[in-house]
Amino acid sequence: MELLSINGLCLIIGVTEKTAKNWIEEFSTHIPKTTELGMTYYHPEAIDTLKFIKTCKNKNYQTPKIREMLANNISPITMQRTIEDVQRSLEQENYKENLLTVMQTIEKTISNVADQEKSIKSLQEQYYEQNKRIKDVDKQAKEINDLKQEIKALKQKLTPAKEYEEKKESFAKLFKQQKEDNHCFNQIITKLNQGI
């Protein structure tokens, strides 16, 4: 008989410990368990029962309906069976010690796997975040290059306009000077004509 801890059950079923404890309490007559050395262990049948409960909960069945379905499909665990299991475990002392050692090893292994899964998930999240940042930097670099090209094009367009303005200003000064010179010239001629 291979017994499971609450942690082992949770990992197999894919629920939190709090959820599993709530379900075990709600459906206690359908969850086979044994207590050894003050620790509660669950029989392998508990896996199927909890998976069934999980499926029902996911379909939004209410507790009374799930109890009814369990009663029709799975026999309740009797007190006699539990007592017999405990007595059998106690009679097989070496087996019990070996079983506890195996269970502890399995629990540690499951815990290590869970920790590694968390580490892998964390690394994947970091990888996706880095990829996102790299894409953002690439996008910004492209936008900067596009802006540089636009500025260069605008400068090229502005250069002829600037030259035009400079020439226009130069011609305006030249015409102004010529106008002043003409005015002076006209005054000189007027004075010369008056002197004649």
Side-chain angles (χ1 to χ4, degrees), residues 23-33 77:
W23 290 352
I24 289 166
E25 188 177 317
E26 280 182 296
F27 305 99
S28 60
T29 57
H30 301 283
I31 311 291
K33 60 185 174 185
I77 304 306

Side-chain angles (χ1 to χ4, degrees), residues 98-133:
N98 289 341
L99 178 64
L100 286 174
T101 303
V102 169
M103 290 305 298
Q104 289 170 351
T105 304
I106 289 172
E107 208 170 316
K108 286 179 184 175
T109 303
I110 290 171
S111 177
N112 288 340
V113 168
D115 290 343
Q116 288 177 357
E117 285 177 351
K118 286 178 187 175
S119 296
I120 289 170
K121 187 175 181 180
S122 174
L123 288 171
Q124 284 175 333
E125 287 172 1
Q126 289 175 10
Y127 170 78
Y128 292 130
E129 189 63 32
Q130 289 293 338
N131 265 356
K132 184 181 175 191
R133 287 182 187 152

Side-chain angles (χ1 to χ4, degrees), residues 157-175:
K157 287 181 181 178
L158 285 175
T159 300
K162 190 175 179 183
E163 287 175 3
Y164 171 77
E165 287 298 321
E166 287 174 358
K167 286 180 182 177
K168 181 178 169 186
E169 198 175 301
S170 176
F171 280 122
K173 285 180 184 175
L174 185 64
F175 284 125

Side-chain angles (χ1 to χ4, degrees), residues 1-9 12 31-37 39-47 81-82 85-90 92 95-107 110:
M1 169 175 56
E2 186 177 328
L3 300 174
L4 298 164
S5 67
I6 187 75
N7 291 337
L9 268 180
I12 292 168
I31 311 291
K33 60 185 174 185
T34 301
T35 303
E36 291 184 16
L37 301 174
M39 296 289 292
T40 302
Y41 293 98
Y42 300 89
H43 295 256
E45 298 88 29
I47 295 170
R81 178 178 169 192
T82 304
D85 288 342
V86 170
Q87 285 174 342
R88 198 176 311 120
S89 293
L90 291 174
Q92 301 172 351
Y95 174 76
K96 183 174 86 173
E97 288 175 13
N98 289 341
L99 178 64
L100 286 174
T101 303
V102 169
M103 290 305 298
Q104 289 170 351
T105 304
I106 289 172
E107 208 170 316
I110 290 171

